[in-house]
Amino acid sequence: LLKGRVLDELPMIWTRIMLPFESTLTPETMRLSAELAALEMIRSGTTAFIDAGSYYMKEAVKVYRASGLRGVLSLSTMDEKGLPASIATTAEEAVRLADDFYEFCKDDPRLKPAYALRSLISCSEPLIQQTSEHANERQALLQAHMNEYPGEVNFFLQRFQKRPYEYLDSFHVLSDRFIGAHSIMVSAHERALLRERDVKVCHCPFSNCGKGVPETPALLEDGICVGLGTDGAAHGGLSLWNEMKIFRSVMNVKHGVAQSNPAIMSAAQIISMATKEGYRLMKEEGGVIAEGKKADFITINTMQSHLYPTGNLVNTLLECVTASDVCDMAVDGRLLMKDREVLTLDEEKILYEAMKYMEEVNT
């Protein structure tokens, strides 16, 4: 519902736009937002997703259950002083709400509840420790936005003489169930921590381009799991096809040109990050078509002038495929879209409600 309202805005979008908007969310607007996101993911071929969390997330869960998608979801968890009253919580309240959300989702066959630290700067030490402890007790995933801005890194250096990942490691927070979104400005010592703790990383290329370029080749050389995301529907949309193209270009400009290595991040590697490594991030057996794996897959119509013929199908998938080329989608063997028709959600009704929302907002 923030689509088109964040591009070209001056910093800090987080405090000036995101939080004020989220403080006005209602169950109805969260439902509509989730419906639009689910539609976009199905239509663009994303079978499984990780949601960093907002408010009224039980409404989002209801939508995603109906959609048939696979996902990891969490609540927005932070206890910073001065937040709008409608989203302000203490550490104890935030953890209690996260526990309640975990119980609400824990038995769902496709939707996995996770714990979250929305922004480390907005989380107190007690909240970080308690959230980590509760995630550990339940063997749940724990996710956070990490090393995204220079200001964030400097915040921890100035106060604790530690970088963000080092700070979390001092509380024994990092593990193989920790997902660090963004992870752009990661030092050599932090990379060593990621490797030792088997932490998973998720870059968001389009969003990250306004902040920095990650050292992805070094992360991969260290054996760290790296996946791809979009940083939400409001900023660039939810098409991983767009993200893969942007990521390839950014990696070449930053790393490939310097080494005269145009394949510094090959098409096969990037597609693996968007598929196999994405499921590894989620602790799910999927991302490849093989016996015993999750029956999640999409089909692409390659008999089109911009895709056919091709001398290398993998390269063409990366270079030329767009969201509209996805024909069919199945999750757990169930068809969610066939011949571009979404089968699990009422697309016409959702778009009509979106139109009414847009008219109200722009009146």
Side-chain angles (χ1 to χ4, degrees):
L1 302 186
L2 274 177
K3 195 183 296 289
R5 298 181 186 274
V6 297
L7 191 67
D8 297 336
E9 287 289 341
L10 295 172
M12 289 283 294
I13 290 172
W14 166 252
T15 53
R16 290 192 307 104
I17 299 175
M18 293 293 295
L19 291 182
F21 169 78
E22 289 193 48
S23 71
T24 68
L25 281 171
T26 65
E28 292 73 28
T29 52
M30 173 51 77
R31 175 187 53 77
L32 176 58
S33 179
E35 286 174 336
L36 289 165
L39 269 179
E40 186 176 357
M41 285 189 284
I42 292 172
R43 284 197 151 273
S44 63
T46 295
T47 58
F49 66 94
I50 299 175
D51 191 322
S54 185
Y55 302 93
Y56 300 107
M57 286 300 292
K58 289 182 181 179
E59 293 299 315
V61 168
K62 294 173 187 176
V63 170
Y64 293 129
R65 281 175 177 162
S67 75
L69 290 166
R70 190 181 307 284
V72 172
L73 298 99
S74 56
L75 289 179
S76 178
T77 303
M78 51 187 175
D79 61 347
E80 179 182 12
K81 304 302 181 185
L83 291 173
S86 61
I87 60 175
T89 61
T90 64
E92 291 71 23
E93 288 170 338
V95 173
R96 178 182 58 78
L97 290 169
D99 287 345
D100 176 68
F101 183 73
Y102 180 89
E103 292 299 318
F104 182 76
C105 299
K106 69 178 184 180
D107 297 321
D108 193 288
R110 290 186 309 277
L111 301 178
K112 184 183 296 184
Y115 285 76
L117 300 167
R118 183 67 180 271
S119 167
L120 290 192
I121 292 177
S122 301
C123 296
S124 66
E125 288 186 17
L127 178 58
I128 292 171
Q129 291 177 315
Q130 291 176 42
T131 301
S132 176
E133 289 167 3
H134 284 233
N136 288 338
E137 289 169 4
R138 294 157 179 79
Q139 291 295 290
L141 295 170
L142 172 60
Q143 57 173 319
H145 296 248
M146 296 296 300
N147 297 52
E148 186 177 2
Y149 301 95
E152 172 199 355
V153 175
N154 291 336
F155 176 91
F156 288 96
L157 286 172
Q158 290 168 6
R159 286 162 180 78
F160 308 105
Q161 293 73 57
K162 293 181 175 69
R163 297 173 67 86
Y165 274 115
E166 296 168 337
Y167 175 75
L168 288 186
D169 194 59
S170 69
F171 297 122
H172 308 289
V173 172
L174 303 182
S175 75
D176 65 335
R177 289 177 285 99
F178 188 91
I179 301 170
H182 306 296
S183 299
I184 305 169
M185 300 154 193
V186 179
S187 70
H189 181 247
E190 286 178 297
R191 287 204 312 272
L193 288 175
L194 298 183
R195 181 182 65 250
E196 292 167 13
R197 310 291 186 247
D198 196 16
V199 168
K200 313 301 189 291
V201 166
C202 184
H203 297 321
C204 302
F206 181 69
S207 173
N208 293 164
C209 279
K211 304 154 192 171
V213 179
E215 297 292 330
T216 314
L219 292 171
L220 295 175
E221 286 175 11
D222 286 343
I224 296 164
C225 173
V226 182
L228 292 177
T230 68
D231 203 21
H235 195 37
L238 293 174
S239 170
L240 285 176
W241 303 102
N242 288 343
E243 299 293 338
M244 287 192 287
K245 291 177 179 65
I246 293 166
F247 186 64
R248 169 65 186 243
S249 298
V250 169
M251 287 293 103
N252 269 352
V253 169
K254 172 69 174 180
H255 303 295
V257 172
Q259 299 179 28
S260 295
N261 180 7
I264 190 75
M265 199 63 61
S266 70
Q269 177 73 69
I270 294 173
I271 289 175
S272 177
M273 291 167 66
T275 52
K276 181 180 176 182
E277 298 305 296
Y279 278 79
R280 186 178 162 197
L281 271 165
M282 299 173 67
K283 291 279 189 178
E284 295 281 358
E285 287 293 325
V288 295
I289 296 177
E291 185 176 353
K293 301 295 184 181
K294 303 289 186 184
D296 300 357
F297 61 88
I298 62 174
T299 68
I300 304 292
N301 177 16
T302 58
M303 191 56 70
Q304 302 181 80
S305 58
H306 66 292
L307 301 179
Y308 190 88
T310 176
N312 184 311
L313 184 57
V314 172
N315 289 353
T316 298
L317 283 173
L318 181 88
E319 291 180 299
C320 302
V321 167
T322 66
S324 61
D325 296 322
V326 180
C327 293
D328 313 293
M329 174 188 285
V331 174
D332 260 353
R334 176 194 179 194
L335 277 175
L336 309 189
M337 180 171 68
K338 181 175 176 59
D339 295 329
R340 296 292 296 166
E341 179 187 358
V342 177
L343 305 177
T344 55
L345 297 172
D346 188 336
E347 184 170 14
E348 184 176 358
K349 179 175 180 290
I350 293 168
L351 291 176
Y352 174 73
E353 291 182 359
M355 180 183 68
K356 290 198 300 181
Y357 173 83
M358 185 171 173
E359 289 174 350
E360 290 170 5
V361 169
N362 292 328
T363 298

